[in-house]
Amino acid sequence: MKKATKFLTMTLAMVMTVCTLTACGGAAKGNTLTFGTNAEFPPFEYVTSNGAIGEYDGIDMAIAKQIAEDNGMTAAMENMEFDSLLVALQNGQIDAVIAGMTATDERKETVDFSTPYYTATQVMIVREDSDITAATDMADKKICVIQGYTGEICVQDMGYTYEAFKKGTEAVMELVNGKCDVVVIDSATAKKYVGDNEGLKIVEDPGAFESEEYAIAVQKGNTELLDKINKSIDKMLADGTVNELAVKYTEEATAE
Ligand code: ARG
């Protein structure tokens, strides 16, 4: 019996050591700040060979890395579907979400958002020969959106029917292949797709699409982490870091 107890204690100690080393059992372990993202959204997050955080690069990834560093921590990134991010945050799988995520009133009901760090708007990507010049022109067109993005909500609110895709690249391929007429998506990402594909252009309609603010999400009530994140963001906004990153990654992502 004694032997068994000793064995048990040793095993337990070993398991605990492994847990601290690998951060198993959830987020906020030791010195790691675990962010969730959906790396399908250049120039904010995309997969590359040698990114700011492992294989992940983009404006958000550089910001996340800096936030962790400012707080003496190391940033880790978990890549998942955009739709799963807020669920993963709420069940503690990740500490924060950084994903070009618009701080909408609806999302604010379930999570808390940091100081906004970027302003964007929805735009329409169309083929160069398209006769779409305003959002109302989409009424009788085949519209593509990305599932769970604010672009989907906008088109829904306008009362138009649409098809939703999992990835921006999939929707853009439909457009390039003539299977849909317009993709509604965030401005900076749209620019990247238009730069990558021949024969596409962007149509803006500021009267129809309100401006959106990107912010980092934390669990409701996690003021301790939110304060740390906000201090870091405020600093990066004030000293021009965010601007520099936006310029750097917009150029880089387009040149790739
Ligand atoms: N800004 C839009 C939203 O909040 C799209 C964000 C998509 N981000 C991503 N990492 N896939 O819904």
Side-chain angles (χ1 to χ4, degrees), residues 234-252:
D234 290 346
K235 185 201 73 187
M236 282 188 264
L237 285 171
D239 71 8
T241 304
V242 173
N243 261 337
E244 278 164 31
L245 288 173
V247 171
K248 176 185 165 198
Y249 280 106
T250 307
E251 281 166 4
E252 219 163 83

Side-chain angles (χ1 to χ4, degrees), residues 119-125 132-138 143-145 150-158 160 182-187 202-212:
T119 304
T121 180
Q122 298 299 309
V123 298
M124 296 168 280
I125 312 179
I132 294 177
T133 57
T136 47
D137 294 333
M138 294 195 291
I143 307 170
C144 284
V145 299
T150 39
E152 177 178 18
I153 300 163
C154 285
V155 173
Q156 231 166 39
D157 289 348
M158 290 170 178
Y160 301 145
V182 51
V183 175
V184 178
I185 195 164
D186 302 52
S187 37
I202 288 173
V203 176
E204 294 174 16
D205 188 346
F209 302 107
E210 283 172 12
S211 72
E212 302 182 14

Side-chain angles (χ1 to χ4, degrees), residues 29-43:
K29 284 274 159 20
N31 232 16
T32 305
L33 188 56
T34 306
F35 290 89
T37 197
N38 167 254
E40 296 283 350
F41 199 62

